[in-house]
Amino acid sequence: MTAPAEGARDGAFMRIALGHALAAGEAGEVPVGAVLVCGEDIIAAGGNRPIASHDPTAHAEIQALRAGGEALASYRLNDTTLYVTLEPCVMCAGAIVHARVRRLVFGAWDARAGAAGSITNVFTLPGLNHRVDVFGGVLMHECARLLQEFFVPRRE
């Protein structure tokens, strides 16, 4: 269970991730944002950019992990927490494990592509050499609403 102080901290960093998601949505991307934190410091952030970058791997999580690796001068992101507004897909979940992120905190669940429990759970696969502590549903309604508001006019 998350302690009250940690829960408030998680909410504060998720609000920052929501800001990056909003910026991605305003740029025409699916509004997903991510923030990578070490201690109390944000070391990297990102928003979805696959459309603008012509890169199918340019999800918010990947953007934040890449920038975090640069900031720490290492591909190992030990003792970090990744905040992301949407449950990671299989690709992003695998990258989070390989980067050795300590904690993952996400907002909305993704019933179509979520790999932290919705359609599969990459983080519990046997044989992986690293375990990530995963917490879902932080500011879930705000994160889900942003996605819903983005997709409604595109589906009409």
Side-chain angles (χ1 to χ4, degrees), residues 9 13 35-44 80-81 83:
R9 177 181 185 267
F13 284 121
V35 175
L36 186 66
V37 174
C38 188
E40 295 298 317
D41 299 320
I42 295 173
I43 59 169
T80 61
T81 299
Y83 294 88

Side-chain angles (χ1 to χ4, degrees), residues 40-57:
E40 295 298 317
D41 299 320
I42 295 173
I43 59 169
N48 264 0
R49 290 191 33 83
I51 297 168
S53 65
H54 309 289
D55 179 358
T57 69

Side-chain angles (χ1 to χ4, degrees), residues 33-37 43-47 57-78 80-84 88-104 123 132:
V35 175
L36 186 66
V37 174
I43 59 169
T57 69
H59 291 191
E61 300 94 321
I62 302 298
Q63 300 291 85
L65 293 174
R66 287 176 178 158
E70 290 290 324
L72 296 177
S74 177
Y75 69 101
R76 305 253 186 200
L77 304 176
N78 298 320
T80 61
T81 299
L82 181 65
Y83 294 88
V84 63
C89 69
V90 171
M91 173 187 70
C92 292
I96 291 164
V97 170
H98 285 289
R100 306 289 198 282
V101 171
R102 183 176 60 84
R103 289 180 76 229
L104 166 68
F123 301 102
V132 178

